[in-house]
Amino acid sequence: MPAEQESAPRSVTGRVLSVLDAFAGERRRLTLSDISRRTGIPLATTHRLVGELLSWGALERNRNGRYEIGLHLWAVAATAPRWLELRDMAMPFLRGLHRKTGGQQVRLTVLDGMETVLVERIGAPAADGAGEPVGGRRPAHATGDGLVLLAYAGATAQERYLAHHALTTGLRQMLAEVERTGCAVNGRWSGPGSSASAAAPVRDATGEVVAAVSVLPGTSGAGHSVLAPEVMATGRAISRALCHRHRHRHRRNGA
């Protein structure tokens, strides 16, 4: 859940974006007071901004009087080409991993700054309750997929992350191990909201890690070490599909 803002943004654009960002937490249906409190924007101003967003279709009001993200905004966001292509390419492999692991929760995640963003999820919440919706954000060190993404983000990004979260060198050692093995197994970093998983990288045609695929076992699921080979194989399969798509597009364009 987003923290309450210490001070409201000054520009109109900043306030509008702040209102939309209020819906990025686990609670997706908010009252006007909820939005005002989360953004730090006065209630009267919040009412005006929400009214404009309702008119455009960025927000909708349900029959209980709470606000939620509107269909128009969702339709615009769904056209984001980079993540839409990644998701579409990965879906057959995610479904296959879901079947091979006996219906465990399978996830596709990307890194945005210092947080992971869930691009797709198949399956029920894991044993520890991890089940944020698509688009949900978590600190990168809180999950195995986040550790994979951090491990391949480069030394500068890692040190900035460590400094920002005031974490110990233990995490640095864990990231080095993930990079060495190509997988985060039992990838849990102690702390509130962390989740254990088996996770592996997904690479684009240049070899850059652009996403992570992971499995979060349920109560009856296999252990993380047992799932790791399947997760790694899925990561490689998605990577090959991305590479094939890139080569096909390159040839089609005559380059």
PDB file of all heavy atoms in Angstrom, residues 6 28 31 33 42 54 60 68 75 88 112 114 150 155 165 171 174 176 182 223 237 241:
ATOM      1  N   GLU A   6       3.845  12.989   2.395  1.00  0.00           N
ATOM      2  CA  GLU A   6       4.196  13.985   3.392  1.00  0.00           C
ATOM      3  C   GLU A   6       3.690  15.367   2.993  1.00  0.00           C
ATOM      4  O   GLU A   6       3.325  16.171   3.821  1.00  0.00           O
ATOM      5  CB  GLU A   6       5.719  14.006   3.568  1.00  0.00           C
ATOM      6  CG  GLU A   6       6.266  12.723   4.186  1.00  0.00           C
ATOM      7  CD  GLU A   6       7.755  12.803   4.387  1.00  0.00           C
ATOM      8  OE1 GLU A   6       8.341  13.855   4.068  1.00  0.00           O
ATOM      9  OE2 GLU A   6       8.341  11.836   4.878  1.00  0.00           O
ATOM     10  N   ARG A  28      -7.672  -1.620  -4.101  1.00  0.00           N
ATOM     11  CA  ARG A  28      -7.921  -1.049  -5.417  1.00  0.00           C
ATOM     12  C   ARG A  28      -9.226  -0.263  -5.481  1.00  0.00           C
ATOM     13  O   ARG A  28      -9.549   0.299  -6.513  1.00  0.00           O
ATOM     14  CB  ARG A  28      -7.947  -2.168  -6.463  1.00  0.00           C
ATOM     15  CG  ARG A  28      -6.617  -2.922  -6.567  1.00  0.00           C
ATOM     16  CD  ARG A  28      -5.485  -1.967  -6.910  1.00  0.00           C
ATOM     17  NE  ARG A  28      -4.202  -2.636  -7.006  1.00  0.00           N
ATOM     18  CZ  ARG A  28      -3.684  -3.110  -8.135  1.00  0.00           C
ATOM     19  NH1 ARG A  28      -4.353  -2.992  -9.248  1.00  0.00           N
ATOM     20  NH2 ARG A  28      -2.513  -3.680  -8.137  1.00  0.00           N
ATOM     21  N   THR A  31     -12.306   5.260  -1.108  1.00  0.00           N
ATOM     22  CA  THR A  31     -13.228   6.372  -0.930  1.00  0.00           C
ATOM     23  C   THR A  31     -12.502   7.668  -1.247  1.00  0.00           C
ATOM     24  O   THR A  31     -11.271   7.700  -1.370  1.00  0.00           O
ATOM     25  CB  THR A  31     -13.738   6.431   0.520  1.00  0.00           C
ATOM     26  OG1 THR A  31     -12.626   6.732   1.381  1.00  0.00           O
ATOM     27  CG2 THR A  31     -14.365   5.106   0.937  1.00  0.00           C
ATOM     28  N   SER A  33     -12.085  10.082   0.779  1.00  0.00           N
ATOM     29  CA  SER A  33     -11.216  10.358   1.931  1.00  0.00           C
ATOM     30  C   SER A  33      -9.940   9.540   1.872  1.00  0.00           C
ATOM     31  O   SER A  33      -8.859  10.025   2.245  1.00  0.00           O
ATOM     32  CB  SER A  33     -11.962  10.063   3.235  1.00  0.00           C
ATOM     33  OG  SER A  33     -13.055  10.939   3.397  1.00  0.00           O
ATOM     34  N   PRO A  42      -5.829  18.203  -0.295  1.00  0.00           N
ATOM     35  CA  PRO A  42      -7.050  18.561   0.434  1.00  0.00           C
ATOM     36  C   PRO A  42      -8.283  17.900  -0.191  1.00  0.00           C
ATOM     37  O   PRO A  42      -8.354  17.680  -1.408  1.00  0.00           O
ATOM     38  CB  PRO A  42      -7.109  20.087   0.296  1.00  0.00           C
ATOM     39  CG  PRO A  42      -5.680  20.496   0.118  1.00  0.00           C
ATOM     40  CD  PRO A  42      -5.040  19.398  -0.674  1.00  0.00           C
ATOM     41  N   LEU A  54     -13.080  10.989 -13.548  1.00  0.00           N
ATOM     42  CA  LEU A  54     -14.298  10.218 -13.840  1.00  0.00           C
ATOM     43  C   LEU A  54     -14.834  10.558 -15.226  1.00  0.00           C
ATOM     44  O   LEU A  54     -15.217   9.661 -15.998  1.00  0.00           O
ATOM     45  CB  LEU A  54     -15.377  10.517 -12.787  1.00  0.00           C
ATOM     46  CG  LEU A  54     -15.262   9.831 -11.433  1.00  0.00           C
ATOM     47  CD1 LEU A  54     -16.288  10.425 -10.476  1.00  0.00           C
ATOM     48  CD2 LEU A  54     -15.493   8.322 -11.570  1.00  0.00           C
ATOM     49  N   GLU A  60     -13.575   5.067 -12.222  1.00  0.00           N
ATOM     50  CA  GLU A  60     -14.997   4.720 -12.215  1.00  0.00           C
ATOM     51  C   GLU A  60     -15.458   4.652 -10.768  1.00  0.00           C
ATOM     52  O   GLU A  60     -14.650   4.432  -9.859  1.00  0.00           O
ATOM     53  CB  GLU A  60     -15.227   3.372 -12.900  1.00  0.00           C
ATOM     54  CG  GLU A  60     -14.907   3.372 -14.381  1.00  0.00           C
ATOM     55  CD  GLU A  60     -15.068   2.001 -15.017  1.00  0.00           C
ATOM     56  OE1 GLU A  60     -15.401   1.040 -14.288  1.00  0.00           O
ATOM     57  OE2 GLU A  60     -14.851   1.885 -16.236  1.00  0.00           O
ATOM     58  N   GLU A  68     -12.425   3.308  -8.412  1.00  0.00           N
ATOM     59  CA  GLU A  68     -11.463   2.332  -8.907  1.00  0.00           C
ATOM     60  C   GLU A  68     -10.978   2.779 -10.287  1.00  0.00           C
ATOM     61  O   GLU A  68     -11.575   3.667 -10.907  1.00  0.00           O
ATOM     62  CB  GLU A  68     -12.084   0.937  -8.980  1.00  0.00           C
ATOM     63  CG  GLU A  68     -13.342   0.884  -9.816  1.00  0.00           C
ATOM     64  CD  GLU A  68     -14.087  -0.438  -9.656  1.00  0.00           C
ATOM     65  OE1 GLU A  68     -14.171  -0.961  -8.521  1.00  0.00           O
ATOM     66  OE2 GLU A  68     -14.594  -0.923 -10.682  1.00  0.00           O
ATOM     67  N   ALA A  75      -7.417   0.557 -20.819  1.00  0.00           N
ATOM     68  CA  ALA A  75      -7.239   0.297 -22.249  1.00  0.00           C
ATOM     69  C   ALA A  75      -6.006   1.013 -22.787  1.00  0.00           C
ATOM     70  O   ALA A  75      -5.250   0.472 -23.603  1.00  0.00           O
ATOM     71  CB  ALA A  75      -8.482   0.732 -23.017  1.00  0.00           C
ATOM     72  N   ASP A  88       2.966 -11.394 -23.817  1.00  0.00           N
ATOM     73  CA  ASP A  88       2.389 -12.279 -24.832  1.00  0.00           C
ATOM     74  C   ASP A  88       3.358 -13.390 -25.215  1.00  0.00           C
ATOM     75  O   ASP A  88       2.957 -14.545 -25.403  1.00  0.00           O
ATOM     76  CB  ASP A  88       2.004 -11.472 -26.075  1.00  0.00           C
ATOM     77  CG  ASP A  88       0.785 -10.590 -25.838  1.00  0.00           C
ATOM     78  OD1 ASP A  88       0.107 -10.786 -24.813  1.00  0.00           O
ATOM     79  OD2 ASP A  88       0.526  -9.704 -26.668  1.00  0.00           O
ATOM     80  N   ASP A 112      11.449  -1.976 -11.907  1.00  0.00           N
ATOM     81  CA  ASP A 112      11.210  -0.563 -12.193  1.00  0.00           C
ATOM     82  C   ASP A 112      11.818   0.237 -11.054  1.00  0.00           C
ATOM     83  O   ASP A 112      11.221   0.352  -9.979  1.00  0.00           O
ATOM     84  CB  ASP A 112       9.711  -0.286 -12.319  1.00  0.00           C
ATOM     85  CG  ASP A 112       9.422   1.177 -12.677  1.00  0.00           C
ATOM     86  OD1 ASP A 112      10.306   1.838 -13.235  1.00  0.00           O
ATOM     87  OD2 ASP A 112       8.296   1.640 -12.400  1.00  0.00           O
ATOM     88  N   MET A 114      13.532   0.769  -7.919  1.00  0.00           N
ATOM     89  CA  MET A 114      13.874  -0.060  -6.769  1.00  0.00           C
ATOM     90  C   MET A 114      12.749  -1.011  -6.386  1.00  0.00           C
ATOM     91  O   MET A 114      12.766  -1.599  -5.305  1.00  0.00           O
ATOM     92  CB  MET A 114      14.239   0.829  -5.581  1.00  0.00           C
ATOM     93  CG  MET A 114      15.474   1.656  -5.821  1.00  0.00           C
ATOM     94  SD  MET A 114      16.047   2.503  -4.339  1.00  0.00           S
ATOM     95  CE  MET A 114      17.465   3.393  -5.009  1.00  0.00           C
ATOM     96  N   LEU A 150      17.742  -7.795  -9.386  1.00  0.00           N
ATOM     97  CA  LEU A 150      18.803  -6.995  -8.770  1.00  0.00           C
ATOM     98  C   LEU A 150      20.183  -7.559  -9.085  1.00  0.00           C
ATOM     99  O   LEU A 150      21.133  -6.815  -9.317  1.00  0.00           O
ATOM    100  CB  LEU A 150      18.615  -6.941  -7.255  1.00  0.00           C
ATOM    101  CG  LEU A 150      17.806  -5.808  -6.650  1.00  0.00           C
ATOM    102  CD1 LEU A 150      17.783  -5.941  -5.133  1.00  0.00           C
ATOM    103  CD2 LEU A 150      18.361  -4.448  -7.059  1.00  0.00           C
ATOM    104  N   ALA A 155      26.462  -3.341 -10.764  1.00  0.00           N
ATOM    105  CA  ALA A 155      26.997  -2.964  -9.453  1.00  0.00           C
ATOM    106  C   ALA A 155      26.488  -1.614  -8.979  1.00  0.00           C
ATOM    107  O   ALA A 155      26.178  -1.428  -7.798  1.00  0.00           O
ATOM    108  CB  ALA A 155      28.525  -2.961  -9.502  1.00  0.00           C
ATOM    109  N   HIS A 165      18.067   1.297   1.095  1.00  0.00           N
ATOM    110  CA  HIS A 165      17.345   0.485   2.078  1.00  0.00           C
ATOM    111  C   HIS A 165      18.158   0.180   3.322  1.00  0.00           C
ATOM    112  O   HIS A 165      17.686  -0.534   4.208  1.00  0.00           O
ATOM    113  CB  HIS A 165      16.895  -0.829   1.427  1.00  0.00           C
ATOM    114  CG  HIS A 165      15.778  -0.657   0.433  1.00  0.00           C
ATOM    115  ND1 HIS A 165      14.453  -0.566   0.803  1.00  0.00           N
ATOM    116  CD2 HIS A 165      15.795  -0.542  -0.912  1.00  0.00           C
ATOM    117  CE1 HIS A 165      13.703  -0.406  -0.271  1.00  0.00           C
ATOM    118  NE2 HIS A 165      14.491  -0.394  -1.328  1.00  0.00           N
ATOM    119  N   LEU A 171      23.064  -9.191   1.757  1.00  0.00           N
ATOM    120  CA  LEU A 171      22.299  -9.148   0.521  1.00  0.00           C
ATOM    121  C   LEU A 171      23.244  -9.089  -0.678  1.00  0.00           C
ATOM    122  O   LEU A 171      23.005  -9.729  -1.701  1.00  0.00           O
ATOM    123  CB  LEU A 171      21.356  -7.950   0.510  1.00  0.00           C
ATOM    124  CG  LEU A 171      20.516  -7.769  -0.766  1.00  0.00           C
ATOM    125  CD1 LEU A 171      19.695  -9.017  -1.063  1.00  0.00           C
ATOM    126  CD2 LEU A 171      19.599  -6.556  -0.633  1.00  0.00           C
ATOM    127  N   MET A 174      24.345 -12.502  -1.354  1.00  0.00           N
ATOM    128  CA  MET A 174      23.268 -13.289  -1.932  1.00  0.00           C
ATOM    129  C   MET A 174      23.110 -12.981  -3.422  1.00  0.00           C
ATOM    130  O   MET A 174      22.928 -13.881  -4.245  1.00  0.00           O
ATOM    131  CB  MET A 174      21.953 -13.022  -1.203  1.00  0.00           C
ATOM    132  CG  MET A 174      20.772 -13.835  -1.727  1.00  0.00           C
ATOM    133  SD  MET A 174      19.237 -13.486  -0.834  1.00  0.00           S
ATOM    134  CE  MET A 174      19.610 -14.264   0.728  1.00  0.00           C
ATOM    135  N   ALA A 176      25.420 -11.940  -5.460  1.00  0.00           N
ATOM    136  CA  ALA A 176      26.550 -12.534  -6.168  1.00  0.00           C
ATOM    137  C   ALA A 176      26.309 -14.020  -6.406  1.00  0.00           C
ATOM    138  O   ALA A 176      26.639 -14.559  -7.475  1.00  0.00           O
ATOM    139  CB  ALA A 176      27.839 -12.323  -5.375  1.00  0.00           C
ATOM    140  N   GLY A 182      22.631 -18.394 -11.587  1.00  0.00           N
ATOM    141  CA  GLY A 182      21.562 -18.142 -12.544  1.00  0.00           C
ATOM    142  C   GLY A 182      20.185 -18.427 -12.001  1.00  0.00           C
ATOM    143  O   GLY A 182      19.219 -18.534 -12.761  1.00  0.00           O
ATOM    144  N   GLY A 223       9.541 -28.583  -3.089  1.00  0.00           N
ATOM    145  CA  GLY A 223      10.505 -27.645  -2.550  1.00  0.00           C
ATOM    146  C   GLY A 223      11.096 -26.770  -3.636  1.00  0.00           C
ATOM    147  O   GLY A 223      11.078 -27.111  -4.819  1.00  0.00           O
ATOM    148  N   ALA A 237      13.670 -20.655 -22.173  1.00  0.00           N
ATOM    149  CA  ALA A 237      12.731 -20.806 -23.285  1.00  0.00           C
ATOM    150  C   ALA A 237      12.112 -19.460 -23.679  1.00  0.00           C
ATOM    151  O   ALA A 237      11.984 -19.146 -24.868  1.00  0.00           O
ATOM    152  CB  ALA A 237      11.634 -21.801 -22.904  1.00  0.00           C
ATOM    153  N   ALA A 241      12.572 -17.360 -27.244  1.00  0.00           N
ATOM    154  CA  ALA A 241      11.436 -16.838 -28.001  1.00  0.00           C
ATOM    155  C   ALA A 241      11.602 -15.349 -28.293  1.00  0.00           C
ATOM    156  O   ALA A 241      11.305 -14.886 -29.401  1.00  0.00           O
ATOM    157  CB  ALA A 241      10.143 -17.089 -27.228  1.00  0.00           C
TER     158      ALA A 241
END
